[in-house]
Amino acid sequence: MSAPLERIGVLGGTFDPIHHGHLAAASEVCAALDLDRMLLVPTNVQPFKTDVTSAPAHHRLEMCRLAVKGDERFGVSAVDVDRGGVTYTVDTLRDLGREYPDAQLYFVTGADALERFSQWRDAHVLSTLATFVGVTRPGHSLGQSDTPHSLVEVPALAVSSTDVRRRVGAGAPIRYLVPRAVADYIAQHDLYSGGSDE
Ligand code: ATP
Ligand code: MG
C-alpha cells in the first residue's frame, strides 16, 4: 500500500503586511481539510496591483517568516519572489508541484480574490494543478463561481493589509491586528509611514 499523499495548503498573497486575517484563514483551512501543512507564498508583483506601491519583496517575505515562527504547520515559500516578475498562480502551482511531486496541493483564496478567478492567467488549467479552496472574508460574499473548490468558513476578522498600512500612516495602533514580531519589524524598518527604508 502506498503512503497517503502529503496534503499541502498554499496561501498566496501580497502580504503587505501579513496580518491575523491571513493566519486565521490558514489555520482554519488546515484544520477543516486536515492538511499536513500550509505554505504562505508572497507574490513578487501582483497582476492586479501593478500600480500600487508595496513594500519590497524581501520585507514582505521576512514578515511572513516572523509571523509563522512557532507554528509548525506553517511555512513560507519564496518561489514567487525568486522567480521574479509578475506573479501568476499558474506558475506558483507548477513550481510547487515540481518541488513537492508527491503532494496534493490546496490553493486557498479569500472571497474577494475568487470573484476575479476567471481573469486569472490560464484559469482553465489551474484546477488540474491544485484543489481550490475558497474562504469567507468579511465584506465579500462567496457567490456563484465556475471553479471547483471547497468552501471553508473562517472566523470573521475584518482586517486587511490596506487598513494596516493606512493605520501605520496615520499613527493608529496595529498591535493585535498583526503578530507582535511583525509590528516590531514594521516600526524598526519604518515601513508604511512614508519613511525611506524601503
Ligand atoms: P490588501 O488590502 O493589500 O489587498 P489583503 O488584506 O487583501 O491586502 P492579500 O495579501 O491581498 O491581503 O490577501 C492574500 C489572501 O488572503 C487573499 O486570498 C485574501 O482574500 C485572503 N485574505 C486576506 N485577508 C483576509 C481575511 N481577513 N479573512 C479571510 N481571508 C483573507
Ligand atoms: Mg487583497
Side-chain angles (χ1 to χ4, degrees):
M1 221 173 71
S2 55
L5 289 181
E6 195 183 7
R7 298 160 65 80
I8 303 180
V10 179
L11 177 61
T14 323
F15 299 117
D16 191 21
I18 187 162
H19 54 67
H20 279 132
H22 297 128
L23 295 164
S27 171
E28 201 64 20
V29 173
C30 270
L33 302 186
D34 195 23
L35 302 186
D36 299 301
R37 54 181 156 152
M38 174 68 73
L39 293 177
L40 306 184
V41 191
T43 55
N44 193 52
V45 176
Q46 221 276 0
F48 299 118
K49 291 182 181 168
T50 45
D51 56 340
V52 178
T53 323
S54 89
H58 71 96
H59 282 317
R60 294 183 286 108
L61 199 52
E62 185 55 27
M63 289 189 280
C64 286
R65 290 188 175 131
L66 291 169
V68 304
K69 263 192 193 156
D71 190 328
E72 71 287 348
R73 296 172 304 170
F74 293 170
V76 178
S77 166
V79 273
D80 288 339
V81 171
D82 289 347
R83 189 184 325 102
V86 175
T87 299
Y88 295 103
T89 300
V90 67
D91 298 326
T92 312
L93 292 176
R94 283 198 173 123
D95 285 354
L96 290 174
R98 273 190 284 271
E99 194 172 336
Y100 302 101
D102 297 324
Q104 171 65 38
L105 301 179
Y106 293 82
F107 191 82
V108 182
T109 314
D112 56 314
L114 262 188
E115 282 165 11
R116 304 214 242 186
F117 185 84
S118 59
Q119 298 171 40
W120 294 14
R121 175 174 280 192
D122 295 335
H124 57 287
V125 300
L126 289 173
S127 58
T128 66
L129 300 171
T131 300
F132 276 71
V133 183
V135 296
T136 53
R137 180 170 192 183
H140 302 272
S141 57
L142 279 163
Q144 287 303 104
S145 162
D146 51 2
T147 49
H149 54 243
S150 42
L151 300 179
V152 174
E153 180 124 7
V154 173
L157 290 178
V159 49
S160 70
S161 302
T162 302
D163 184 41
V164 172
R165 294 193 299 274
R166 259 195 227 120
R167 283 171 161 270
V168 174
I174 58 166
R175 196 164 166 201
Y176 307 116
L177 300 180
V178 303
R180 179 87 192 244
V182 172
D184 290 347
Y185 188 94
I186 289 169
Q188 225 165 44
H189 295 270
D190 208 9
L191 300 178
Y192 311 122
S193 60
S196 58
D197 185 12
E198 306 206 335

